[in-house]
């Protein structure tokens, strides 16, 4: 594996899931792998889970870790041929090149602007790091994908599934702010590669990009989708049209106990952070059906499996 920015960078995603589960049993088995190696994490946007789990994953493998938070202060230029006499002080060519002098792996988080769909879906920041870094790049969430989250989600489904091919539902849920599509896009991609029956449900007007939906069945009735589900994965995303501008939704799409009762004693999943009693009711989130904490816990082993592969631990 040369980089980790989507499921398509992984030859055999199911094996990566198995490696993450194996690391959960023996997290310190490969501490020699990272000796004298350095992982640099670059955050253009805030993080709790991704930052802590990836830092710990690198340390469990014996790596040095450096984390750069560059939310507002660092104005990078991404365009080629620009006369840089404005607000941008450093070009991505030098920035990624310099960081590659200090790191064996670069990991990057960058959210979309949610103003211009074509610009966001070009995934400029992540692709520029991949292009100009001379070391492997890991996505810590890009404008359009969150592959480490999805890998941890698959690991969690693998741990909790009660049948060989569970029914997994990705449902849109309400949120007071406009959010990216990255988690949902990625979840679709990874679940399309997993041994599950995947269903996508959302209100009309909240269609995801067909490039991510592919052949996944779509239901506009949340109740219909929940019937017989083994896992319900809730996530808000803002519409593609008008891009990034939430539209009124007539029904209440919050995940409630009454809706979960329509599932096959299904589990509730969410990537966190979650808005209580907006996305999901307390009764669901605080129940034994909720997997949100095991999911967050598995972020560690997902990140460790990825770093291990990039360090050459497993082909
Ligand atoms: N789920 C997730 O990526 O959480 P953070 O934004 O806290 O990293």
């Amino acid at each position: 594996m040369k980089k980790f920015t989507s499921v398509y960078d992984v030859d055999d995603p199911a094996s990566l899931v198995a490696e993450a589960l194996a690391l959960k049993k023996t997290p310190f088995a490969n501490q020699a792998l990272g000796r004298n190696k350095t992982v640099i994490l670059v955050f253009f946007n805030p993080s709790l889970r991704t930052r802590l789990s990836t830092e710990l994953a690198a340390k469990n493998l014996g790596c040095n870790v450096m984390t750069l938070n560059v939310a507002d202060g660092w104005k990078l230029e991404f365009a080629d041929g620009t006369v840089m006499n404005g607000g941008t002080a450093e070009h991505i060519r030098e920035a990624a090149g310099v960081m590659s002098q200090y790191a064996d792996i670069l990991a990057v988080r960058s959210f979309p602007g949610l103003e211009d769909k074509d610009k966001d879906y070009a995934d400029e920041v992540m692709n520029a790091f991949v292009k100009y870094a001379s070391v492997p790049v890991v996505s810590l969430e890009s404008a359009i994908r969150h592959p480490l989250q999805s890998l941890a989600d698959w690991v969690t489904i693998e741990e909790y599934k009660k049948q060989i091919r569970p029914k997994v539902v990705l449902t849109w849920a309400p949120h007071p702010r406009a959010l990216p599509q990255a988690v949902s896009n990625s979840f679709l991609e990874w679940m399309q590669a997993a041994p599950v029956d995947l269903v996508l449900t959302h209100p009309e007007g909240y269609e995801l990009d067909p490039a991510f939906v592919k052949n996944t069945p779509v239901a506009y009735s949340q109740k219909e989708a929940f019937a017989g589900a083994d896992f319900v994965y809730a996530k808000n995303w803002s519409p593609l049209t008008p891009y990034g501008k939430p539209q009124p939704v007539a029904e209440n799409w919050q995940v409630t106990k009454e809706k979960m009762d329509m599932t096959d004693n299904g589990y509730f999943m969410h990537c966190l952070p979650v808005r209580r009693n907006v996305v999901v009711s307390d009764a669901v989130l605080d129940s034994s059906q909720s997997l949100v904490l095991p999911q967050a816990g598995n972020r560690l082993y997902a990140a460790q499996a990825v770093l291990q592969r990039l360090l050459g631990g497993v082909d």
Side-chain angles (χ1 to χ4, degrees):
M1 195 162 76
K2 301 277 187 276
K3 62 183 168 73
F4 184 80
T5 60
S6 84
V7 72
Y8 303 113
D9 291 326
V10 186
D11 284 342
D12 183 358
S15 298
L16 194 58
V17 171
E19 285 158 34
L21 286 166
L23 281 165
K24 195 164 183 171
K25 293 195 183 107
T26 56
F28 309 115
N30 295 328
Q31 285 218 309
L33 195 62
R35 187 176 300 137
N36 300 328
K37 305 277 187 187
T38 298
V39 180
I40 294 182
L41 312 181
V42 184
F43 285 89
F44 291 92
N45 302 94
S47 167
L48 171 68
R49 282 143 289 271
T50 306
R51 173 176 172 157
L52 295 182
S53 61
T54 311
E55 283 192 4
L56 187 55
K59 288 176 181 172
N60 283 355
L61 291 167
C63 295
N64 303 312
V65 187
M66 295 191 286
T67 300
L68 208 53
N69 295 308
V70 291
D72 294 319
W74 195 33
K75 302 292 183 206
L76 272 186
E77 179 61 55
F78 287 90
D80 279 331
T82 312
V83 178
M84 288 174 56
N85 59 0
T88 52
E90 179 153 21
H91 201 280
I92 181 65
R93 285 175 180 253
E94 286 76 54
V98 167
M99 283 188 271
S100 302
Q101 304 293 311
Y102 310 138
D104 296 281
I105 295 173
L106 275 183
V108 180
R109 164 168 283 199
S110 175
F111 288 170
L114 292 180
E115 295 290 337
D116 179 338
K117 198 232 174 192
D118 290 343
K119 185 172 190 296
D120 286 346
Y121 274 67
D123 220 2
E124 182 183 51
V125 176
M126 195 59 58
N127 286 331
F129 271 94
V130 169
K131 187 171 179 184
Y132 295 119
S134 56
V135 296
V137 171
V138 173
S139 169
L140 300 173
E141 186 171 348
S142 78
I144 54 170
R145 290 187 172 92
H146 196 353
L148 280 176
Q149 178 66 54
S150 310
L151 174 57
D153 297 336
W154 184 344
V155 169
T156 309
I157 288 169
E158 199 61 31
E159 277 186 308
Y160 283 86
K161 71 182 185 185
K162 289 179 268 192
Q163 50 187 320
I164 293 170
R165 200 174 173 85
K167 178 177 177 181
V168 175
V169 177
L170 171 60
T171 181
W172 183 90
H175 197 282
R177 293 182 51 226
L179 296 188
Q181 297 93 32
V183 169
S184 306
N185 287 344
S186 239
F187 188 73
L188 289 175
E189 285 186 331
W190 284 77
M191 287 298 105
Q192 285 157 2
V196 305
D197 288 326
L198 177 63
V199 175
L200 170 63
T201 184
H202 55 73
E204 288 190 51
Y206 280 83
E207 287 75 12
L208 289 166
D209 193 305
F212 289 92
V213 177
K214 295 202 167 79
N215 295 325
T216 302
V218 178
Y220 289 115
S221 161
Q222 195 182 33
K223 288 177 185 166
E224 184 188 305
F226 275 35
D230 298 293
F231 296 90
V232 169
Y233 196 108
K235 185 72 186 81
N236 174 270
W237 60 88
S238 54
L240 296 182
T241 314
Y243 184 63
K245 305 277 183 295
Q247 301 298 302
V249 172
E251 286 179 61
N252 187 354
W253 279 67
Q254 182 184 131
V255 179
T256 61
K257 182 167 183 322
E258 292 68 35
K259 290 177 190 171
M260 289 302 292
D261 285 345
M262 296 173 194
T263 69
D264 187 6
N265 201 23
Y267 289 110
F268 174 79
M269 301 180 73
H270 190 281
C271 63
L272 302 182
V274 70
R275 299 274 184 143
R276 281 177 172 263
N277 301 310
V278 177
V279 171
V280 56
S281 69
D282 283 345
V284 174
L285 198 54
D286 297 331
S287 74
S288 58
Q289 287 171 285
S290 174
L291 296 182
V292 297
L293 295 183
Q295 263 179 280
N298 283 333
R299 293 293 308 274
L300 169 59
Y301 307 106
Q304 203 168 323
V306 168
L307 295 178
Q308 181 173 271
R309 275 202 182 186
L310 291 173
L311 289 166
V314 178
D315 289 335

